[in-house]
Short mmCIF file of all heavy atoms in Angstrom, two decimals:
data_model
loop_
_atom_site.label_atom_id
_atom_site.label_comp_id
_atom_site.label_asym_id
_atom_site.label_seq_id
_atom_site.Cartn_x
_atom_site.Cartn_y
_atom_site.Cartn_z
N ASP A 429 -5.34 -3.49 17.03
CA ASP A 429 -6.12 -2.26 16.93
C ASP A 429 -6.60 -1.99 15.50
O ASP A 429 -6.57 -0.85 15.02
CB ASP A 429 -5.34 -1.05 17.45
CG ASP A 429 -5.32 -0.98 18.98
OD1 ASP A 429 -6.38 -1.26 19.58
OD2 ASP A 429 -4.27 -0.68 19.56
N PHE A 430 -7.06 -3.05 14.83
CA PHE A 430 -7.62 -2.89 13.50
C PHE A 430 -9.01 -2.26 13.59
O PHE A 430 -9.74 -2.47 14.55
CB PHE A 430 -7.73 -4.24 12.78
CG PHE A 430 -6.40 -4.83 12.39
CD1 PHE A 430 -6.22 -6.20 12.38
CD2 PHE A 430 -5.34 -4.02 12.04
CE1 PHE A 430 -5.01 -6.75 12.02
CE2 PHE A 430 -4.12 -4.56 11.67
CZ PHE A 430 -3.94 -5.93 11.66
N LYS A 431 -9.37 -1.50 12.55
CA LYS A 431 -10.66 -0.82 12.53
C LYS A 431 -11.75 -1.64 11.85
O LYS A 431 -12.93 -1.46 12.11
CB LYS A 431 -10.52 0.52 11.79
CG LYS A 431 -9.62 1.52 12.49
CD LYS A 431 -9.54 2.82 11.70
CE LYS A 431 -8.65 3.83 12.41
NZ LYS A 431 -8.54 5.10 11.63
N ARG A 432 -11.35 -2.54 10.96
CA ARG A 432 -12.37 -3.26 10.19
C ARG A 432 -11.84 -4.62 9.75
O ARG A 432 -10.66 -4.78 9.46
CB ARG A 432 -12.77 -2.43 8.97
CG ARG A 432 -13.92 -2.99 8.16
CD ARG A 432 -14.26 -2.05 7.01
NE ARG A 432 -14.91 -0.82 7.50
CZ ARG A 432 -14.76 0.38 6.96
NH1 ARG A 432 -13.96 0.53 5.94
NH2 ARG A 432 -15.40 1.41 7.44
N ILE A 433 -12.75 -5.61 9.70
CA ILE A 433 -12.42 -6.96 9.23
C ILE A 433 -13.32 -7.28 8.04
O ILE A 433 -14.53 -7.05 8.08
CB ILE A 433 -12.67 -8.02 10.33
CG1 ILE A 433 -11.83 -7.71 11.58
CG2 ILE A 433 -12.34 -9.42 9.81
CD1 ILE A 433 -12.22 -8.56 12.77
N TYR A 434 -12.72 -7.80 6.97
CA TYR A 434 -13.48 -8.25 5.81
C TYR A 434 -13.38 -9.77 5.74
O TYR A 434 -12.30 -10.33 5.59
CB TYR A 434 -12.91 -7.65 4.52
CG TYR A 434 -12.99 -6.15 4.45
CD1 TYR A 434 -11.87 -5.37 4.71
CD2 TYR A 434 -14.18 -5.50 4.14
CE1 TYR A 434 -11.93 -3.98 4.65
CE2 TYR A 434 -14.24 -4.11 4.08
CZ TYR A 434 -13.12 -3.36 4.34
OH TYR A 434 -13.18 -1.99 4.28
N MET A 435 -14.53 -10.45 5.85
CA MET A 435 -14.60 -11.90 5.73
C MET A 435 -14.98 -12.22 4.28
O MET A 435 -16.01 -11.75 3.78
CB MET A 435 -15.63 -12.48 6.69
CG MET A 435 -15.48 -12.04 8.14
SD MET A 435 -14.11 -12.84 8.99
CE MET A 435 -14.69 -14.54 9.03
N LEU A 436 -14.17 -13.03 3.61
CA LEU A 436 -14.39 -13.33 2.20
C LEU A 436 -14.40 -14.83 1.96
O LEU A 436 -13.64 -15.57 2.60
CB LEU A 436 -13.28 -12.70 1.33
CG LEU A 436 -13.00 -11.20 1.52
CD1 LEU A 436 -11.77 -10.81 0.73
CD2 LEU A 436 -14.20 -10.38 1.09
N GLY A 437 -15.23 -15.27 1.04
CA GLY A 437 -15.26 -16.70 0.68
C GLY A 437 -15.71 -16.87 -0.75
O GLY A 437 -16.48 -16.07 -1.28
N GLY A 438 -15.22 -17.91 -1.40
CA GLY A 438 -15.62 -18.19 -2.78
C GLY A 438 -15.04 -17.22 -3.78
O GLY A 438 -15.77 -16.65 -4.61
N LEU A 439 -13.72 -17.00 -3.73
CA LEU A 439 -13.07 -16.10 -4.69
C LEU A 439 -12.98 -16.77 -6.06
O LEU A 439 -12.67 -17.96 -6.15
CB LEU A 439 -11.67 -15.72 -4.21
CG LEU A 439 -11.58 -14.58 -3.19
CD1 LEU A 439 -12.24 -14.96 -1.88
CD2 LEU A 439 -10.13 -14.19 -2.95
N PRO A 440 -13.22 -16.04 -7.15
CA PRO A 440 -13.13 -16.61 -8.51
C PRO A 440 -11.68 -16.75 -8.96
O PRO A 440 -11.22 -16.03 -9.85
CB PRO A 440 -13.90 -15.59 -9.35
CG PRO A 440 -13.70 -14.29 -8.64
CD PRO A 440 -13.68 -14.64 -7.18
N VAL A 441 -10.95 -17.70 -8.37
CA VAL A 441 -9.52 -17.83 -8.63
C VAL A 441 -9.19 -18.25 -10.06
O VAL A 441 -8.04 -18.12 -10.49
CB VAL A 441 -8.88 -18.82 -7.63
CG1 VAL A 441 -9.01 -18.29 -6.20
CG2 VAL A 441 -9.52 -20.20 -7.74
N GLU A 442 -10.17 -18.77 -10.79
CA GLU A 442 -9.92 -19.19 -12.17
C GLU A 442 -9.99 -18.01 -13.13
O GLU A 442 -9.59 -18.14 -14.29
CB GLU A 442 -10.95 -20.26 -12.59
CG GLU A 442 -10.93 -21.51 -11.73
CD GLU A 442 -9.56 -22.17 -11.70
OE1 GLU A 442 -8.85 -22.11 -12.72
OE2 GLU A 442 -9.19 -22.74 -10.66
N ASN A 443 -10.47 -16.89 -12.67
CA ASN A 443 -10.58 -15.70 -13.51
C ASN A 443 -9.25 -14.94 -13.44
O ASN A 443 -8.91 -14.34 -12.42
CB ASN A 443 -11.72 -14.81 -13.01
CG ASN A 443 -11.98 -13.62 -13.92
OD1 ASN A 443 -11.05 -12.94 -14.35
ND2 ASN A 443 -13.25 -13.38 -14.20
N GLU A 444 -8.49 -14.99 -14.54
CA GLU A 444 -7.16 -14.41 -14.54
C GLU A 444 -7.18 -12.91 -14.31
O GLU A 444 -6.34 -12.36 -13.60
CB GLU A 444 -6.45 -14.71 -15.86
CG GLU A 444 -5.01 -14.22 -15.90
CD GLU A 444 -4.29 -14.64 -17.16
OE1 GLU A 444 -4.85 -15.46 -17.92
OE2 GLU A 444 -3.18 -14.14 -17.39
N GLU A 445 -8.17 -12.23 -14.88
CA GLU A 445 -8.26 -10.78 -14.71
C GLU A 445 -8.50 -10.43 -13.24
O GLU A 445 -7.89 -9.50 -12.70
CB GLU A 445 -9.39 -10.23 -15.57
CG GLU A 445 -9.51 -8.70 -15.52
CD GLU A 445 -10.60 -8.18 -16.42
OE1 GLU A 445 -11.20 -8.99 -17.17
OE2 GLU A 445 -10.85 -6.96 -16.40
N PHE A 446 -9.38 -11.20 -12.60
CA PHE A 446 -9.65 -10.96 -11.18
C PHE A 446 -8.40 -11.22 -10.35
O PHE A 446 -8.07 -10.45 -9.44
CB PHE A 446 -10.78 -11.85 -10.68
CG PHE A 446 -10.92 -11.83 -9.17
CD1 PHE A 446 -11.60 -10.80 -8.53
CD2 PHE A 446 -10.36 -12.83 -8.38
CE1 PHE A 446 -11.72 -10.76 -7.15
CE2 PHE A 446 -10.48 -12.81 -7.00
CZ PHE A 446 -11.16 -11.77 -6.38
N MET A 447 -7.67 -12.28 -10.65
CA MET A 447 -6.50 -12.63 -9.85
C MET A 447 -5.38 -11.61 -10.01
O MET A 447 -4.60 -11.39 -9.09
CB MET A 447 -6.01 -14.03 -10.22
CG MET A 447 -6.96 -15.14 -9.78
SD MET A 447 -7.46 -15.04 -8.02
CE MET A 447 -5.92 -15.47 -7.20
N GLN A 448 -5.29 -10.98 -11.17
CA GLN A 448 -4.31 -9.90 -11.33
C GLN A 448 -4.68 -8.72 -10.43
O GLN A 448 -3.82 -8.14 -9.77
CB GLN A 448 -4.25 -9.46 -12.79
CG GLN A 448 -3.55 -10.46 -13.71
CD GLN A 448 -3.41 -9.93 -15.13
OE1 GLN A 448 -3.67 -8.76 -15.40
NE2 GLN A 448 -3.01 -10.80 -16.04
N PHE A 449 -5.96 -8.41 -10.40
CA PHE A 449 -6.44 -7.35 -9.50
C PHE A 449 -6.20 -7.75 -8.04
O PHE A 449 -5.71 -6.95 -7.23
CB PHE A 449 -7.93 -7.10 -9.75
CG PHE A 449 -8.62 -6.36 -8.62
CD1 PHE A 449 -8.47 -4.99 -8.48
CD2 PHE A 449 -9.40 -7.05 -7.70
CE1 PHE A 449 -9.10 -4.31 -7.44
CE2 PHE A 449 -10.04 -6.39 -6.66
CZ PHE A 449 -9.87 -5.01 -6.54
N PHE A 450 -6.52 -9.00 -7.71
CA PHE A 450 -6.36 -9.50 -6.35
C PHE A 450 -4.90 -9.42 -5.91
O PHE A 450 -4.60 -8.98 -4.79
CB PHE A 450 -6.86 -10.95 -6.29
CG PHE A 450 -6.74 -11.58 -4.92
CD1 PHE A 450 -7.66 -11.32 -3.93
CD2 PHE A 450 -5.69 -12.44 -4.63
CE1 PHE A 450 -7.56 -11.90 -2.68
CE2 PHE A 450 -5.57 -13.03 -3.39
CZ PHE A 450 -6.51 -12.76 -2.41
N TYR A 451 -3.99 -9.83 -6.79
CA TYR A 451 -2.56 -9.80 -6.46
C TYR A 451 -2.10 -8.38 -6.16
O TYR A 451 -1.45 -8.11 -5.15
CB TYR A 451 -1.74 -10.38 -7.61
CG TYR A 451 -0.24 -10.38 -7.36
CD1 TYR A 451 0.39 -11.49 -6.83
CD2 TYR A 451 0.53 -9.25 -7.65
CE1 TYR A 451 1.75 -11.48 -6.58
CE2 TYR A 451 1.89 -9.24 -7.40
CZ TYR A 451 2.49 -10.36 -6.88
OH TYR A 451 3.84 -10.34 -6.63
N HIS A 452 -2.47 -7.47 -7.04
CA HIS A 452 -2.05 -6.09 -6.88
C HIS A 452 -2.65 -5.47 -5.62
O HIS A 452 -1.99 -4.71 -4.90
CB HIS A 452 -2.47 -5.29 -8.11
CG HIS A 452 -1.93 -3.90 -8.15
ND1 HIS A 452 -0.59 -3.61 -8.26
CD2 HIS A 452 -2.56 -2.69 -8.09
CE1 HIS A 452 -0.41 -2.30 -8.26
NE2 HIS A 452 -1.59 -1.72 -8.16
N PHE A 453 -3.91 -5.82 -5.33
CA PHE A 453 -4.61 -5.24 -4.18
C PHE A 453 -4.11 -5.81 -2.86
O PHE A 453 -3.94 -5.09 -1.88
CB PHE A 453 -6.11 -5.51 -4.34
CG PHE A 453 -6.94 -4.96 -3.20
CD1 PHE A 453 -7.23 -3.60 -3.12
CD2 PHE A 453 -7.43 -5.79 -2.20
CE1 PHE A 453 -7.99 -3.09 -2.08
CE2 PHE A 453 -8.18 -5.29 -1.16
CZ PHE A 453 -8.46 -3.94 -1.10
N MET A 454 -3.87 -7.11 -2.82
CA MET A 454 -3.53 -7.78 -1.56
C MET A 454 -2.06 -7.74 -1.20
O MET A 454 -1.69 -8.13 -0.09
CB MET A 454 -3.96 -9.26 -1.64
CG MET A 454 -5.44 -9.47 -1.36
SD MET A 454 -5.87 -9.02 0.34
CE MET A 454 -7.63 -9.32 0.32
N SER A 455 -1.21 -7.28 -2.10
CA SER A 455 0.23 -7.35 -1.83
C SER A 455 0.62 -6.58 -0.57
O SER A 455 1.53 -6.99 0.14
CB SER A 455 1.02 -6.82 -3.04
OG SER A 455 0.69 -5.47 -3.29
N MET A 456 -0.08 -5.48 -0.27
CA MET A 456 0.26 -4.68 0.89
C MET A 456 -0.89 -4.59 1.90
O MET A 456 -1.08 -3.59 2.57
CB MET A 456 0.67 -3.27 0.45
CG MET A 456 1.89 -3.24 -0.46
SD MET A 456 3.36 -4.00 0.29
CE MET A 456 3.68 -2.85 1.61
N ARG A 457 -1.66 -5.69 2.01
CA ARG A 457 -2.76 -5.73 2.97
C ARG A 457 -2.57 -6.87 3.95
O ARG A 457 -1.89 -7.87 3.66
CB ARG A 457 -4.11 -5.91 2.25
CG ARG A 457 -4.37 -4.93 1.12
CD ARG A 457 -4.22 -3.47 1.52
NE ARG A 457 -5.17 -3.04 2.53
CZ ARG A 457 -6.34 -2.49 2.25
NH1 ARG A 457 -6.70 -2.30 0.98
NH2 ARG A 457 -7.14 -2.09 3.20
N ASN A 458 -3.19 -6.75 5.12
CA ASN A 458 -3.18 -7.83 6.12
C ASN A 458 -4.15 -8.91 5.68
O ASN A 458 -5.33 -8.63 5.48
CB ASN A 458 -3.59 -7.30 7.49
CG ASN A 458 -2.64 -6.24 8.02
OD1 ASN A 458 -1.46 -6.50 8.20
ND2 ASN A 458 -3.15 -5.05 8.25
N VAL A 459 -3.67 -10.15 5.53
CA VAL A 459 -4.54 -11.21 5.03
C VAL A 459 -4.27 -12.52 5.77
O VAL A 459 -3.12 -12.88 6.03
CB VAL A 459 -4.38 -11.39 3.51
CG1 VAL A 459 -2.93 -11.66 3.14
CG2 VAL A 459 -5.27 -12.49 2.98
N VAL A 460 -5.36 -13.19 6.11
CA VAL A 460 -5.29 -14.51 6.76
C VAL A 460 -6.07 -15.49 5.91
O VAL A 460 -7.24 -15.25 5.58
CB VAL A 460 -5.87 -14.46 8.18
CG1 VAL A 460 -5.95 -15.87 8.77
CG2 VAL A 460 -5.04 -13.57 9.08
#
Side-chain angles (χ1 to χ4, degrees):
D429 282 319
F430 290 147
K431 295 180 179 179
R432 186 178 288 146
I433 302 170
Y434 298 101
M435 308 286 293
L436 308 173
L439 278 64
V441 297
E442 301 302 327
N443 186 315
E444 184 175 351
E445 183 178 355
F446 169 81
M447 291 309 290
Q448 287 185 10
F449 162 78
F450 179 80
Y451 179 94
H452 188 65
F453 180 77
M454 279 295 178
S455 61
M456 299 303 293
R457 309 306 297 267
N458 298 300
V459 56
V460 173

